Each structure stands twice: as structure tokens, then as C-alpha cells.
Amino acid sequence: MDSVNKSGNLGYWLGFDFQGKGIMTRVVRWITDYAIRVLKLYKIEIHCPAKNKKSRAIPERLGFIVEEIKTKNTLINNEYHDMFVYVIYSNMLYSS
């Protein structure tokens, strides 16, 4: 969290046996709602590897938008990956 700019970053990982059940979507929705409504944050960011379609589906499902694509930004398993930066602002909370 960045209290000066009223923003926060959210990251997640879920074991294979628990994927595809909507668990992470519900958790991200709850945390985002809490961060904006209770903590009064203005902006939440989620960074996802471009190739990780399951991870990217969560912010897309919740109305986050792609603000930026960082090219070859993150080293994962000895390989640099592009990262999608998703954002949602307090004034667009679940507008889609």
C-alpha cells in the first residue's frame, strides 16, 4: 500500500487443486472492495504475466482495465516475461 497516493498492489497465487472454482475471483473482489470502501484507496493494481491467461482473467472479470504492458519486465524461471498491469479506480469499482 502507498498511503500517500492512496493506492495499492494486489498479488495472488492459488494451488492447482483449488483453481477453476471461483475462489480467487471472490477473494480479489472482497479485497478490492475493502481497500476502496474501507481503506479509501483510489487505485488498485494487479500485475500478471502476459502468458498466464487464468491469472489475467481475474482482473478482467472484475472490471479492471489494462493500464500498461511492461515488456520483458519480470524474471520467471530464468526467462523474462511481459507483464500486464491492470488497474481499477475507486470511481469505476465493478462498473462493467
Side-chain angles (χ1 to χ4, degrees), residues 6-54:
K6 297 186 178 185
S7 65
N9 292 322
L10 178 58
Y12 44 84
W13 181 88
L14 190 63
F16 182 78
D17 292 343
F18 302 99
Q19 295 176 15
K21 301 174 194 276
I23 296 167
M24 195 55 68
T25 299
R26 288 192 302 273
V27 169
V28 171
R29 177 181 283 124
W30 188 90
I31 291 171
T32 301
D33 186 65
Y34 182 84
I36 288 174
R37 295 183 197 279
V38 177
L39 300 177
K40 305 296 184 197
L41 296 186
Y42 173 67
K43 175 183 177 180
I44 305 294
E45 287 186 10
I46 297 175
H47 297 223
C48 299
K51 292 181 181 179
N52 190 334
K53 293 180 182 180
K54 286 184 178 182

Side-chain angles (χ1 to χ4, degrees), residues 60-71:
E60 291 172 2
R61 193 176 296 123
L62 295 175
F64 284 69
I65 59 170
V66 176
E67 182 177 70
E68 179 181 8
I69 300 173
K70 295 183 174 190
T71 306

